[in-house]
Amino acid sequence: MFQIPEIDESDKFYHSLPRHLQLIFALYNTMVSQSEMLCYFVIILNHMVSASLLTLFLPILIFLWAMLSVPRPTKRFWMTAIIYTELTVVVKYFFQFGFFPWTTSAYRGINAQRPFALPNIVGVEKKDGYVLFDLIQLLALFFHRSILKCHGLWDNKEVEMPDFFKKLKKKTEKKRQSGATRVTRRRLLFLSLHTSTASLFCKQRGGKSSDSHDIEQVKKNHSKKRKQQHKVPLSRKEQIRQRIRERLLEAKAAIIEVALHIYLPIRQFFYDIIHPEYSPVCDVYALMFLIDVVNFIIIIFGYWAFGKHSAAADITESLSEDQVPEAFLVMLLIQFGTMVVDRALYLRKTLLGKCVFQVVLVFGIHFWMFFILPGVTERRFNRNQVAQIWYFVKCIYFGLSAYQIKCGYPNRVLGNFLTKNYNYLNLFLFQGFRLVPFLTELRAVMDWVWTDTTLSLSSWICVEDIYANIFILKCWRESEKKYPHTPGQKKKKVVKYSMGGFIIFALICIVWFPLLFMSLVKSVAGVTNQPLDVSIQLSIAGYEPLFTMSAQEQNLVPFSQSAYHKLTNVYATHPSAMQFIVNYMAEDIVKAKVKSDASLLWSISPASREAMIQELSNSSHIYVTLRWTLLRNTSLVMNPKTAGEHTVKYEDKELKDNLVRMLQGTRSESVIIDKLLPKYIRGPSGPEAKMAHRLIIEHSSRTEDLHLAFFHPLSIKLRQANGSVEGRGPQWWVVEECTPGPPPVRCQNIEIVVFNDKVSPSSLGFLAGYGIMGLYMSVVLVIGKFVREFFNGISRSIMFEELPNVDRVLKLCTDIFVVREAGEMELEEQLFEKLIFLYRSPETMIKMTREKKND
């Protein structure tokens, strides 16, 4: 009926174009329709890149003027932005000339990264593309200006001046006219007084008055003239004073006019916001809250950007050492505090407070991000990517906040924004919202504090809990209506195996999680942790250690593949030993070669030496202790130092006598201590390095089986420096490892084979550090307790959860919210009592939750 051939042909031509051209046209139309937002984006992007005083002015104007203007920014704002951008371009261009000191390469090399260098903070530093974003900004502003002119929206609203300024202006004009009248009177002195005054009066009145009125006016002027003739004429000094007084009055009027032209539009602007002629109801608090949450997450995961020297730090390491960057803490508190204040303003619906909060927050955030934070971090804002992302997200919050101010707060705030629809998405989001620790409780207490109500805090929390449970039941009932189940029909296998199979798999994984985790972490993702230092120490009867020596660097020889195969061939017929060996690879095994001479002199006092000799002579047995210590990489394990020891009791009288004679200085040959040195030790991730007990194999004393010996004898000898008197001078012990078997034995430097357990990577160290038993106690049992409570607590909640129809109960909760917002406090209390009675009376609950009958 209304078809136009030209339009149809245009549509056909458009649809016949290639898709990439259609996409270009669509993007252009989108840019045209959102040209205002495009200008805002370019201005904010320019400020993020420049981060200077020259670009700071326009973003503040956007959030405190443009976005608050009703219904749109005026011509005055766009002209201000265009003129200011043009001036910025001129200023930047002027300061690029070479006679300024900051244009030299030496100055730029030294001060390029300094945040508070004068050219950097002002924005006139010499660099490539110094006005690129300013020109793009100017282009976007002119593009938006052309669009406004095309639609006839390029207008300007004038503000009416107050009455006192009109009176002042009239007074100034009257003074000017009186001065002009005196000059005219001097020129017309030759005319008669009556004629001159009457003619001047007639000229001023324009001949519109009657003759009688003219005569009366002439008489009045004549009387005034006669009075003035009696006055003494003014002196030249007084005339100068009078002229100065007139000029001051004119200057005062001009200054007041300029001030009023600035003040009155601002006052009228905020007055129109707080007292709008019309108010479209809008609620964007949920979006502002989500933006604040995103900023909160950015601060937590990008905390290193808010400290001075914390760029390479780890948050877990900093928290474990009780060290938190001050700027990071301040930003966290500011972010959390603004969220609380924003919630309070939203609940109180205080538009004036929101305006004040917007102004304070805009100035405060810009001052913090561009002046204080660069001073703390010693990095320019445009070199701090995390701070730039945080600021851009905060600008989105400022835009939403300005939109909320422009539209006004809603008249009623009813429930959570997630409870507006009843579907699976809202259900799972609401459940996740309730799982966040302290969030539900904090929201309930804040709502009770800043909402007018007659309920106590406990009653308020009771209503909130009932409403949450009823909302969850409503979502389940709606899902049952969408996906109904036919009575008498068994459950489908798809449902059973999908839901039941997932639960079975989850429970099995929880039960066997510690074993699977520890096994996979160390076998698949494990990191080899070879020792950096292996030390041994030998002591007798608890006295001063005889021998202390360590092996480092080149003395720690990794096991080769051939040595590993040789070791497996030795223990191939022993299953328990092979079960231990196959848990390690060749790179996990290290042979520590310890030199025989002690690293320290034997510094025992003569009294202790005599006491040691006396004790060895009188005792029937002696205890010899060999200790070993492994030092590992601190970045891989929680316990970098592990130690173990092996103590042997000897009752051989010959061994005691030989030791006593050696201490007395009457024996120079070495003494053999049998079965003291363990050949294989284990370096676990824990603090105790034990012997590899599984490699202790029972064997015969035949020569061909001696290679299976786990404990090797040690040869000890007290050596004295050459030229010193017997028993005096520096002394040290020489300890060597001897081959097991009957004499003669062959002794050499000590060699110990260390089996090093793999350690979990640092990313999983917080879980692997608990061990298998720790994971079972802290994870499996805790989760099992919650699962058991879920399965056992169903019977106690049937009366409140198996409700066929919750619409009436949900409406009762909503009615409580509505009457509260309407100020009906007495009715709110009555409805709350009705809700409590409903939950106390099972019969009434059954009646209220019956299915509706369709007549």
Side-chain angles (χ1 to χ4, degrees):
M1 182 178 178
F2 297 101
Q3 290 183 352
I4 302 175
E6 289 80 1
I7 296 179
D8 295 339
E9 292 178 2
S10 176
D11 291 339
K12 290 180 182 179
F13 174 75
Y14 178 77
H15 290 296
S16 65
L17 292 175
R19 289 189 176 272
H20 62 275
L21 285 179
Q22 293 184 18
L23 178 62
I24 293 173
F25 279 121
L27 292 176
Y28 175 75
N29 292 331
T30 304
M31 186 172 62
V32 170
S33 62
Q34 301 294 330
S35 59
E36 181 179 334
M37 291 298 167
L38 177 65
C39 292
Y40 296 159
F41 173 75
V42 173
I43 290 173
I44 292 171
L45 183 63
N46 184 18
H47 183 51
M48 290 172 59
V49 173
S50 300
S52 60
L53 288 174
L54 286 176
T55 57
L56 179 63
F57 179 68
L58 287 183
I60 293 178
L61 287 188
I62 287 176
F63 302 126
L64 298 183
W65 185 3
M67 288 189 173
L68 295 177
S69 300
V70 179
R72 69 188 65 85
T74 60
K75 172 184 175 182
R76 181 174 296 173
F77 168 76
W78 296 116
M79 288 304 299
T80 303
I82 291 172
I83 295 172
Y84 186 80
T85 306
E86 292 173 346
L87 291 176
T88 302
V89 172
V90 172
V91 169
K92 287 186 176 181
Y93 175 75
F94 175 73
F95 283 103
Q96 298 299 308
F97 287 109
F99 52 79
F100 289 104
W102 54 77
T103 58
T104 61
S105 57
Y107 186 93
R108 285 182 291 162
I110 297 174
N111 301 293
Q113 302 300 328
R114 290 179 58 191
F116 294 124
L118 182 61
N120 297 341
I121 196 65
V122 176
V124 294
E125 72 273 18
K126 187 176 180 60
K127 61 180 181 179
D128 296 333
Y130 58 95
V131 290
L132 174 63
F133 285 92
D134 295 288
L135 295 177
I136 295 174
Q137 175 180 315
L138 192 61
L139 182 63
L141 291 172
F142 277 116
F143 175 71
H144 180 65
R145 174 175 173 266
S146 65
I147 293 172
L148 291 179
K149 283 193 171 184
C150 289
H151 292 84
L153 300 176
W154 189 252
D155 57 353
N156 196 6
K157 183 181 178 182
E158 297 295 337
V159 181
E160 186 179 358
M161 290 296 171
D163 295 336
F164 78 92
F165 178 71
K166 292 179 180 178
K167 294 179 180 179
L168 181 63
K169 199 167 184 180
K170 287 181 180 179
K171 185 178 179 181
T172 308
E173 293 294 334
K174 189 176 180 181
K175 289 286 186 181
R176 288 179 181 176
Q177 291 179 2
S178 63
T181 304
R182 284 198 301 270
V183 173
T184 306
R185 189 170 57 246
R186 290 171 185 170
R187 293 177 181 177
L188 300 178
L189 285 176
F190 62 93
L191 297 176
S192 61
L193 183 62
H194 294 281
T195 307
S196 62
T197 53
S199 62
L200 286 175
F201 177 75
C202 290
K203 288 180 182 180
Q204 292 176 1
R205 301 295 296 175
K208 295 181 182 180
S209 301
S210 60
D211 296 337
S212 59
H213 184 70
D214 292 341
I215 296 170
E216 292 177 1
Q217 189 67 27
V218 170
K219 290 181 178 179
K220 290 181 180 179
N221 291 337
H222 180 64
S223 61
K224 289 181 179 180
K225 276 293 180 180
R226 283 199 297 180
K227 291 180 181 179
Q228 290 179 0
Q229 288 177 358
H230 292 290
K231 292 182 178 180
V232 180
L234 297 176
S235 62
R236 183 175 181 82
K237 190 174 182 181
E238 291 176 350
Q239 289 178 2
I240 294 173
R241 287 180 180 176
Q242 187 175 359
R243 290 178 184 177
I244 293 174
R245 197 177 299 114
E246 292 174 0
R247 296 296 182 270
L248 290 176
L249 188 61
E250 293 176 1
K252 179 181 177 183
I255 293 172
I256 293 176
E257 183 177 6
V258 173
L260 289 177
H261 275 291
I262 298 174
Y263 164 72
L264 289 178
I266 297 175
R267 191 189 71 170
Q268 188 67 30
F269 176 74
F270 284 101
Y271 181 83
D272 292 340
I273 293 174
I274 300 172
H275 306 284
E277 297 179 2
Y278 60 92
S279 178
V281 176
C282 173
D283 188 359
V284 293
Y285 174 76
L287 295 177
M288 290 193 293
F289 177 77
L290 291 178
I291 292 297
D292 276 336
V293 170
V294 172
N295 261 342
F296 204 83
I297 295 173
I298 291 173
I299 293 174
I300 292 176
F301 287 97
Y303 84 102
W304 52 267
F306 305 107
K308 185 175 181 180
H309 300 292
S310 56
D314 186 11
I315 183 64
T316 56
E317 181 182 354
S318 298
L319 294 178
S320 62
E321 296 176 357
D322 299 330
Q323 295 179 355
V324 181
E326 292 82 0
F328 167 72
L329 178 61
V330 170
M331 291 201 67
L332 271 183
L333 295 178
I334 290 175
Q335 185 66 44
F336 189 77
T338 54
M339 294 170 70
V340 173
V341 174
D342 209 6
R343 180 69 180 175
L345 295 172
Y346 174 70
L347 294 173
R348 299 303 301 175
K349 307 180 190 64
T350 308
L351 204 55
L352 176 60
K354 182 64 175 177
C355 289
V356 175
F357 183 66
Q358 174 84 348
V359 173
V360 172
L361 199 60
V362 167
F363 279 105
I365 291 297
H366 283 85
F367 184 74
W368 170 266
M369 296 301 295
F370 297 99
F371 295 99
I372 298 180
L373 186 63
V376 174
T377 60
E378 294 185 355
R379 292 194 298 272
R380 296 183 62 182
F381 176 81
N382 50 12
R383 300 291 188 272
N384 194 338
Q385 286 79 15
V386 176
Q388 286 180 317
I389 296 173
W390 187 91
Y391 173 72
F392 183 75
V393 177
K394 199 66 177 180
C395 287
I396 299 176
Y397 167 83
F398 287 146
L400 291 173
S401 180
Y403 183 72
Q404 181 73 81
I405 294 172
K406 184 166 65 174
C407 296
Y409 280 118
N411 296 326
R412 294 185 177 90
V413 180
L414 303 178
N416 196 313
F417 71 96
L418 296 174
T419 60
K420 305 302 180 184
N421 297 317
Y422 309 104
N423 49 42
Y424 280 122
L425 179 62
N426 287 67
L427 173 62
F428 295 141
L429 289 177
F430 184 70
Q431 293 282 43
F433 173 81
R434 286 169 59 86
L435 288 177
V436 178
F438 302 108
L439 184 57
T440 304
E441 294 79 5
L442 185 62
R443 174 184 174 273
V445 176
M446 287 195 301
D447 290 1
W448 179 75
V449 170
W450 287 303
T451 304
D452 297 331
T453 180
T454 59
L455 303 181
S456 62
L457 180 59
S458 58
S459 301
W460 181 283
I461 295 175
C462 179
V463 174
E464 291 289 333
D465 185 61
I466 291 173
Y467 179 71
N469 292 328
I470 294 299
F471 168 76
I472 294 171
L473 293 177
K474 177 66 176 177
C475 291
W476 287 120
R477 296 296 92 86
E478 290 295 324
S479 65
E480 291 172 359
K481 291 179 182 178
K482 290 182 180 179
Y483 310 101
H485 174 68
T486 305
Q489 183 181 6
K490 64 179 182 180
K491 292 292 183 183
K492 296 180 180 180
K493 290 185 178 180
V494 176
V495 178
K496 295 177 68 176
Y497 281 100
S498 60
M499 183 180 297
F502 174 75
I503 294 175
I504 292 172
F505 178 76
L507 291 177
I508 291 176
C509 288
I510 292 172
V511 171
W512 299 107
F513 167 74
L515 295 177
L516 291 173
F517 178 78
M518 297 301 295
S519 176
L520 293 176
V521 161
K522 293 192 176 181
S523 61
V524 178
V527 180
T528 302
N529 184 27
Q530 295 183 354
L532 304 177
D533 180 274
V534 178
S535 302
I536 62 172
Q537 189 180 82
L538 180 66
S539 60
I540 298 177
Y543 283 92
E544 186 74 19
L546 308 181
F547 176 82
T548 300
M549 192 59 191
S550 62
Q552 300 173 350
E553 296 180 357
Q554 68 271 16
N555 293 323
L556 298 176
V557 182
F559 240 46
S560 61
Q561 287 292 339
S562 59
Y564 182 77
H565 289 308
K566 183 179 179 180
L567 181 66
T568 55
N569 293 332
V570 170
Y571 292 96
T573 57
H574 303 280
S576 61
M578 287 301 300
Q579 186 181 8
F580 174 79
I581 294 174
V582 296
N583 292 328
Y584 299 91
M585 305 297 291
E587 60 268 14
D588 299 329
I589 307 174
V590 173
K591 181 182 289 186
K593 297 182 178 181
V594 183
K595 295 181 180 180
S596 58
D597 291 282
S599 60
L600 299 174
L601 296 175
W602 192 40
S603 58
I604 188 172
S605 64
S608 297
R609 185 169 184 166
E610 291 296 330
M612 185 177 178
I613 294 173
Q614 187 70 23
E615 185 174 346
L616 291 176
S617 302
N618 298 332
S619 63
S620 60
H621 58 273
I622 59 173
Y623 288 97
V624 181
T625 302
L626 181 69
R627 296 183 179 88
W628 55 87
T629 303
L630 307 180
L631 185 63
R632 296 170 297 182
N633 193 348
T634 56
S635 62
L636 297 177
V637 290
M638 297 177 61
N639 302 297
K641 188 176 182 179
T642 60
E645 65 178 27
H646 175 56
T647 302
V648 183
K649 179 181 178 181
Y650 294 96
E651 297 181 353
D652 188 2
K653 189 175 185 302
E654 183 181 357
L655 175 62
K656 292 190 300 177
D657 295 339
N658 291 336
L659 287 175
V660 169
R661 288 198 299 271
M662 185 178 293
L663 292 174
Q664 291 175 347
T666 58
R667 180 183 173 90
S668 59
E669 294 83 5
S670 59
V671 177
I672 305 298
I673 304 177
D674 196 23
K675 295 181 179 180
L676 179 61
L677 175 67
K679 190 64 178 176
Y680 305 103
I681 61 176
R682 180 186 171 193
S685 57
E688 185 178 1
K690 299 180 181 179
M691 296 182 294
H693 294 286
R694 292 190 182 184
L695 298 182
I696 300 177
I697 305 298
E698 295 183 1
H699 59 88
S700 62
S701 58
R702 293 181 299 179
T703 307
E704 58 269 17
D705 292 338
L706 292 179
H707 63 279
L708 296 174
F710 185 82
F711 294 102
H712 286 208
L714 285 180
S715 167
I716 63 174
K717 180 181 179 180
L718 184 60
R719 180 170 293 179
Q720 193 163 348
N722 296 330
S724 59
V725 183
E726 188 72 22
R728 297 179 182 179
Q731 295 179 327
W732 69 94
W733 291 87
V734 178
V735 179
E736 295 180 329
E737 176 188 356
C738 302
T739 57
V745 296
R746 184 172 56 86
C747 299
Q748 59 183 6
N749 291 337
I750 299 174
E751 291 185 357
I752 301 177
V753 178
V754 183
F755 291 84
N756 301 286
D757 289 355
K758 288 184 179 295
V759 296
S760 60
S762 58
S763 58
L764 300 175
F766 68 98
L767 279 177
Y770 290 102
I772 295 177
M773 296 306 298
L775 288 176
Y776 266 110
M777 295 299 294
S778 60
V779 178
V780 177
L781 293 182
V782 173
I783 296 178
K785 183 180 179 181
F786 282 105
V787 173
R788 181 61 57 83
E789 288 183 357
F790 173 76
F791 280 93
N792 289 345
I794 296 177
S795 60
R796 296 189 295 270
S797 59
I798 289 177
M799 185 174 68
F800 303 108
E801 293 187 357
E802 297 299 326
L803 304 178
N805 187 3
V806 296
D807 290 346
R808 298 183 184 91
V809 184
L810 185 62
K811 186 177 183 305
L812 180 57
C813 295
T814 309
D815 290 343
I816 293 176
F817 299 152
V818 171
V819 298
R820 179 190 299 154
E821 293 293 328
E824 300 290 341
M825 301 303 172
E826 186 176 354
L827 188 56
E828 178 197 11
E829 200 165 357
Q830 293 175 2
L831 291 177
F832 173 72
E833 293 174 357
K834 182 178 179 180
L835 182 64
I836 296 299
F837 174 77
L838 182 63
Y839 270 80
R840 290 182 59 198
S841 175
E843 295 181 359
T844 310
M845 178 65 80
I846 292 173
K847 293 179 182 179
M848 289 281 289
T849 56
R850 286 175 179 170
E851 287 288 352
K852 296 179 180 179
K853 295 181 180 180
N854 297 323
D855 297 335

